[in-house]
Amino acid sequence: MNIGAASEKSGLPAKTIRYYEDIGLLTADRASNGYRDYSIADVHRMRFIQRSRRLGFSVEECRQLLSLYNDRERESADVKTLAKTKLAEIDRKLVELTELRDTLRHLVRSCQGDSRPDCPIIEGLSSSQRK
Amino acid sequence: MNIGAASEKSGLPAKTIRYYEDIGLLTADRASNGYRDYSIADVHRMRFIQRSRRLGFSVEECRQLLSLYNDRERESADVKTLAKTKLAEIDRKLVELTELRDTLRHLVRSCQGDSRPDCPIIEGLSSSQRK
DNA sequence: ATAATGCTTCCAGTCGCTGGAAGCTAAAGA
DNA sequence: TCTTTAGCTTCCAGCGACTGGAAGCATTAT
């Protein structure tokens, strides 16, 4: 299967697939015409990476995850540890983002949106220094 | 005030302050020794930027916000529109991140974390394709 | 006097792609 | 069959928003 088909099946843009090959995250067979040739297993790996990235794993973490995925003999404890660390990180991000939204929402609510120059959004951004 | 002091007061790293000057987001007076010399107003602007960045505004948006901030005659409607757009974006991010967390949490919960090769995290990452 | 900061500039690198140019190959239409 | 178009190849450059490091002044502390 050519890169276009693999792209469609995996959800990764062709450019990204080539990039992942470049950084050694993926490998590719070559057809006689020089085109990359992918198997179903390759597409699975791509989807694995795509999903991991979407879940917030860095490319480096994907590399670890992928080595775990490629070698099923490895202990799942490793994977769990990685996933748990990532989960805590996401929770932190979630809290921060919520705070941020609340602040911004408050600012939007208290702004008239008319032509008066004393806009509370501007005030809030320049002075408030929570935490 | 030297860049170090301004950095401390604004919360922006000195490197970042210089970078912002580079891209024309900030300006700086110079002392006779060639050092940058900042006023309290400069620090206010820095804090304004720092806070805006933390709230998820891009540098480009900060530039707009800052021009609004520097020229208080401007209509607050402009600011409100910008802030509302940003708020919607943050809400979207929040939903996505929550989904992501739930998926990952589920995977972590269902993983034994022992030495067995059939780790549900790995399974989940390779096959599930929600949405 | 000397050592340790702190400041300056400039250049390079980070991360994770993404876009574009130039050129070859393959599939589809006239 | 010819031609257009699409898809593939490589390579190089750039994005955003910094961050790190080198080399070299200035200032402060010991």
Side-chain angles (χ1 to χ4, degrees):
Chain A
M1 155 187 7
N2 283 350
I3 198 168
S7 164
E8 211 166 312
K9 291 200 182 195
S10 68
L12 287 175
K15 274 258 172 191
T16 304
I17 295 173
R18 290 195 200 97
Y19 168 72
Y20 285 163
E21 187 180 334
D22 231 53
I23 61 168
L25 205 56
L26 288 172
T27 53
D29 284 347
R30 295 290 176 143
S32 53
N33 58 7
Y35 285 19
R36 286 171 182 81
D37 184 28
Y38 296 105
S39 67
I40 300 294
D42 289 324
V43 172
H44 284 333
R45 261 183 287 274
M46 286 174 201
R47 215 149 63 193
F48 179 87
I49 295 170
Q50 195 250 0
R51 185 152 175 82
S52 303
R53 292 285 302 123
R54 282 213 330 156
L55 281 171
F57 292 93
S58 75
V59 165
E60 243 3 85
E61 287 165 333
C62 284
R63 205 188 293 277
Q64 294 168 50
L65 243 17
L66 200 60
S67 83
L68 262 21
Y69 171 80
N70 286 336
D71 179 6
R72 299 304 189 95
E73 301 305 306
R74 291 283 290 276
E75 324 225 337
S76 66
D78 296 356
V79 188
K80 186 167 189 175
T81 302
L82 193 51
K84 276 171 94 173
T85 304
K86 212 63 209 167
L87 191 53
E89 244 169 70
I90 290 171
D91 277 334
R92 248 183 294 116
K93 251 193 203 167
L94 221 38
V95 168
E96 234 181 88
L97 203 56
T98 305
E99 272 178 23
L100 199 152
R101 184 199 51 187
D102 292 345
T103 306
L104 200 52
R105 183 179 280 168
H106 172 77
L107 290 174
V108 167
R109 288 240 171 89
S110 55
C111 173
Q112 314 280 135
D114 56 19
S115 300
R116 291 188 303 160
D118 55 328
C119 172
I121 295 177
I122 292 289
E123 308 295 329
L125 285 174
S126 58
S127 58
S128 82
Q129 195 72 358
R130 178 172 35 83
K131 198 216 159 164
Chain B
M1 154 186 9
N2 284 349
I3 199 169
S7 164
E8 212 166 313
K9 290 199 183 197
S10 69
L12 288 175
K15 273 259 172 190
T16 304
I17 295 173
R18 290 194 201 99
Y19 168 72
Y20 284 163
E21 187 180 335
D22 230 55
I23 62 169
L25 205 55
L26 289 173
T27 54
D29 284 346
R30 294 293 175 141
S32 53
N33 58 8
Y35 285 18
R36 286 171 180 83
D37 184 26
Y38 297 105
S39 67
I40 301 294
D42 288 325
V43 172
H44 283 333
R45 262 182 286 273
M46 285 173 200
R47 215 149 63 192
F48 178 88
I49 296 169
Q50 195 251 0
R51 187 153 173 81
S52 303
R53 291 283 302 120
R54 282 212 330 155
L55 280 169
F57 293 94
S58 75
V59 165
E60 245 1 85
E61 285 163 334
C62 285
R63 206 188 293 277
Q64 295 169 50
L65 244 16
L66 200 60
S67 81
L68 263 21
Y69 171 81
N70 286 336
D71 179 6
R72 298 303 190 94
E73 302 305 306
R74 289 285 289 277
E75 323 224 338
S76 67
D78 296 357
V79 188
K80 187 166 187 172
T81 303
L82 192 50
K84 275 170 95 173
T85 305
K86 213 63 211 170
L87 191 54
E89 241 169 71
I90 289 170
D91 276 335
R92 248 181 294 115
K93 252 191 204 169
L94 222 38
V95 168
E96 231 180 90
L97 203 56
T98 305
E99 272 180 24
L100 198 152
R101 184 199 52 188
D102 292 346
T103 307
L104 200 52
R105 182 179 281 166
H106 173 77
L107 289 174
V108 167
R109 288 240 172 89
S110 56
C111 174
Q112 316 281 134
D114 56 18
S115 300
R116 290 189 302 162
D118 54 327
C119 172
I121 296 178
I122 291 290
E123 307 297 328
L125 285 172
S126 57
S127 59
S128 83
Q129 193 75 359
R130 177 174 36 85
K131 197 220 155 160

